[in-house]
Amino acid sequence: MLFTRIVDTSVAVGATRSRKAKTEALQTLLADLRPDEVETVVAWLSGEMTQGRIGIGWRTLSDIEADPVEQPVLTIAEVDDAIGAVASTSGSGSTKRRRDLLAELFGRSTRGERDFLVRLMTGELRQGALEGVMTDAIAKAAGLPLEPVRRAFMLSGRLSVTATAALSGGEQALAEFVLTVGRPIRPMLASPAETLAGAWTEFGGDVSVEYKLDGARIQVHRSGDEVHVYTRTLREITSGVPELVELIRELPCTSVVLDGETLALTDSGRPRPFQETMSRFGADSAHDLLLHPYFFDCIHLDGVDLLDEPLERRLDALDRVAPQHRIPALLRPDAESAAAHFDAALDAGHEGVMVKALSSSYAAGRRGRTWQKVKPEHTLDLVVLGAEWGYGRRTGWLSNLHLGARDPDGGPPIMVGKTFKGLTDALLQWQTDEFPKHERSRDDHTVYLEPDLIVEIELDGVQVSTRYPGGVALRFARVLRYRPDKTHAEADTIEAVRALLPTQSR
Ligand SMILES: Nc1ncnc2c1ncn2[C@@H]1O[C@H](COP(=O)(O)OP(=O)(O)OP(=O)(O)O)[C@@H](O)[C@H]1O
């Protein structure tokens, strides 16, 4: 197939806000691909190259001189080969050779094709927000129900591989994706609960009520003596957390996959601030803070996969393998004890509680209703769209943030408010140093950013707005902290923001 079809589809998907139209455009394209083209094309449309990152910056790419062609001629295979050649060129003289290869490719591209390639190579096309639409399109193009496609994606973590299996091997090929110890799966997520009592009632009290600790998510895989530790975004951090590795190696089992939260504690056993825990996850992590694990799920034990087992059975397994590292939890508490557990969590310096249905399976990668988080305040994880230069005491600093919610249909984030409240001098300085690296454009007052940075905002609520495009605006928003562990795909959606509107104005 000609490469231009991919570019046209990408443009069409970007140009509409309608989820249905996006899905149809992708579905039509997928159905027309040859089986050997599927993996590459799905990767491209998700903003990735099958070769991984090739380490060429926007400036180098835009400096390459090549006249565009009028009529598209490039095929998918030719483009993929050319990217492969660039990716595999290294050593002395490679800078020039890579430029020559790119000039050759651009010299055979139309203007639109070059634009797509530059955005693909610089990571600008990476739009996790499109994942949901793409998953739908794969299922439709393959004539399959959504569930097996979704499941294969959560187990493989890769849409491109999922698409190839779905389109060439159908449901049987998808069923071959299993949990593999040593390969991380996308973690199960929670939805906000209105109230603790509401969440408890929704499951008739058949719940586990657990502390919600404010640390960092970890997924631990052990097979024999081999241990791997991953973050929420499936980044491997094993070598940075030797104390966890040691402790996991000592658990009484031969193989296990555990899900949990890790936290650094003060001398008196209270949680340290989130930023301090996160500092252990950086490239040059400080090792003076010891991390403690608190596990809340066990999705594999001694050769048995537990993903589809009810939570109650998974908690039994957790109790067998790591009882001393379990997060504080109450099973089937009455409403009063659940409320007391919530208060105790807050008293101990934690965020709140999670209420989980004991009958639910592990829905990896999903934000479902079977896990509900209860916190005393509303918080939202929003995309930083830009920042205004401060004035008065804040002159010279990038200050007032423009905040956006994710469009669940894969469009650009939708602005819902601004704030500079809660920003310390240290954060203002950090913003001023960091934001230009993410700059998209600027005018006299504001630097506009690529949607890369996620910030956690505390707010009193939201109100109907005629000023903002989503029809909703934040009330009394203040910055809690940045969330380097999250990407645009994990920001809260405009629907999550609207859900906070008082019922009568929804
Ligand atoms: N007992 C627990 N069970 C599950 N997750 C927990 C628990 N305690 C703390 N967590 C953390 O809470 C997160 C689940 O909440 P959610 O799915 O809303 O993620 P989130 O968007 O990061 O939430 P938040 O911003 O409120 O931390 C998990 O990713 C995990 O890091």
Side-chain angles (χ1 to χ4, degrees):
M1 181 188 285
L2 281 183
F3 176 53
T4 191
R5 275 280 309 270
I6 318 305
V7 179
D8 293 347
T9 307
S10 170
V11 170
V13 166
T16 172
R17 293 194 77 91
S18 149
R19 185 183 174 105
K20 189 158 168 277
K22 284 181 203 284
T23 314
E24 275 168 12
L26 292 171
Q27 177 191 348
T28 312
L29 175 70
L30 290 175
D32 287 349
L33 289 170
R34 281 204 324 253
D36 62 328
E37 293 170 330
V38 173
E39 184 169 342
T40 308
V41 170
V42 173
W44 286 346
L45 287 168
S46 315
E48 281 159 14
M49 292 169 284
T50 48
Q51 298 81 357
R53 295 196 185 181
I54 58 171
I56 294 187
W58 185 81
R59 191 158 295 283
T60 309
L61 290 166
S62 55
D63 279 352
I64 290 175
E65 284 182 22
D67 289 331
V69 296
E70 291 301 320
Q71 288 302 321
V73 287
L74 284 168
T75 64
I76 292 168
E78 283 171 335
V79 173
D80 195 32
D81 288 349
I83 296 175
V86 175
S88 61
T89 303
S90 58
S92 77
S94 61
T95 312
K96 176 165 185 319
R97 176 81 191 119
R98 281 154 74 100
R99 270 171 166 277
D100 290 348
L101 286 165
L102 287 165
E104 215 172 292
L105 178 64
F106 290 168
R108 300 189 62 216
S109 308
T110 63
R111 209 173 281 283
E113 288 173 335
R114 174 171 176 158
D115 181 52
F116 179 92
L117 285 168
V118 169
R119 293 197 300 137
L120 177 67
M121 290 175 185
T122 52
E124 211 189 294
L125 272 184
R126 221 174 297 129
Q127 35 183 331
L130 205 62
E131 275 174 6
V133 182
M134 183 62 100
T135 313
D136 278 0
I138 294 169
K140 290 214 168 86
L144 294 172
L146 185 57
E147 210 35 56
V149 178
R150 214 182 238 166
R151 187 184 160 82
F153 175 39
M154 89 189 178
L155 290 169
S156 67
R158 291 175 58 202
L159 269 174
S160 49
V161 181
T162 308
T164 304
L167 289 157
S168 352
E171 217 158 338
Q172 209 174 349
L174 290 177
E176 279 168 26
F177 287 89
V178 288
L179 178 72
T180 309
V181 180
R183 199 169 69 193
I185 62 165
R186 292 156 29 94
M188 177 160 178
L189 300 172
S191 301
E194 278 287 314
T195 59
L196 174 62
W200 186 91
T201 312
E202 189 168 331
F203 303 111
D206 193 29
V207 289
S208 167
V209 178
E210 307 171 357
Y211 279 15
K212 183 171 193 310
L213 302 189
D214 193 13
R217 185 89 176 248
I218 46 168
Q219 192 180 119
V220 166
H221 291 236
R222 176 181 147 196
S223 175
D225 267 351
E226 200 178 319
V227 173
H228 298 276
V229 184
Y230 303 93
T231 62
R232 174 193 167 102
T233 49
L234 313 190
R235 188 163 61 86
E236 176 152 15
I237 48 156
T238 313
S239 59
V241 291
E243 71 273 45
L244 297 182
V245 173
E246 200 172 312
L247 173 154
I248 293 152
R249 227 177 244 144
E250 275 160 21
L251 298 178
C253 63
T254 52
S255 66
V256 71
V257 179
L258 296 172
D259 189 3
E261 191 83 350
T262 188
L263 202 63
L265 301 176
T266 63
D267 292 340
S268 57
R270 289 179 73 82
R272 285 184 181 274
F274 174 77
Q275 286 82 352
E276 293 187 21
T277 295
M278 281 310 288
S279 73
R280 281 292 313 274
F281 285 51
D284 45 356
S285 68
H287 280 234
D288 45 343
L289 294 176
L290 214 54
L291 291 176
H292 298 261
Y294 295 88
F295 295 114
F296 46 75
D297 219 309
C298 176
I299 47 188
H300 173 102
L301 181 59
D302 289 336
V304 183
D305 285 350
L306 302 169
L307 274 172
D308 297 322
E309 296 293 332
L311 175 61
E312 185 160 19
R313 293 239 5 230
R314 305 201 307 275
L315 293 178
D316 282 347
L318 182 57
D319 248 347
R320 286 204 298 282
V321 70
Q324 71 282 36
H325 301 298
R326 253 191 89 162
I327 213 158
L330 293 182
L331 246 55
R332 299 198 180 84
D334 56 30
E336 224 165 83
S337 323
H341 202 52
F342 179 60
D343 292 341
L346 296 183
D347 284 348
H350 301 301
E351 258 191 331
V353 291
M354 300 282 284
V355 178
K356 302 180 179 174
L358 279 169
S359 60
S360 62
S361 58
Y362 192 93
R366 303 267 294 280
R367 197 175 282 287
R369 293 294 299 169
T370 51
W371 284 17
Q372 298 191 21
K373 53 183 170 185
V374 188
K375 296 198 239 178
E377 300 279 354
H378 295 298
T379 62
L380 290 169
D381 294 324
L382 298 173
V383 183
V384 183
L385 304 176
E388 296 169 11
W389 291 104
Y391 48 88
R393 205 180 76 73
R394 297 175 172 209
T395 302
W397 274 334
L398 280 170
S399 172
N400 203 13
L401 299 175
H402 293 197
L403 301 166
R406 179 161 63 86
D407 174 355
D409 295 335
I414 300 159
M415 187 157 171
V416 289
K418 297 185 189 180
T419 190
F420 54 82
K421 297 209 179 71
L423 288 169
T424 58
D425 286 1
L427 267 183
L428 287 164
Q429 186 59 53
W430 177 82
Q431 292 185 172
T432 310
D433 296 338
E434 184 69 17
F435 283 5
K437 298 182 201 155
H438 303 265
E439 176 172 338
R440 177 196 284 269
S441 62
R442 63 170 77 198
D443 58 28
D444 287 351
H445 305 290
T446 309
V447 176
Y448 300 94
L449 307 183
E450 298 294 344
D452 300 333
L453 298 169
I454 307 301
V455 66
E456 186 170 349
I457 297 290
E458 191 171 64
L459 60 159
D460 285 4
V462 301
Q463 62 200 17
V464 172
S465 161
T466 48
R467 197 150 47 99
Y468 288 115
V472 59
L474 309 178
R475 286 180 51 227
F476 303 112
R478 51 224 175 251
V479 172
L480 274 185
R481 59 193 172 179
Y482 276 86
R483 295 293 306 252
D485 56 328
K486 287 200 163 188
T487 63
H488 176 193
E490 290 158 310
D492 280 302
T493 59
I494 189 73
E495 279 151 15
V497 180
R498 286 195 192 115
L500 300 177
L501 280 170
T503 324
Q504 69 273 19
S505 35
R506 264 185 228 165

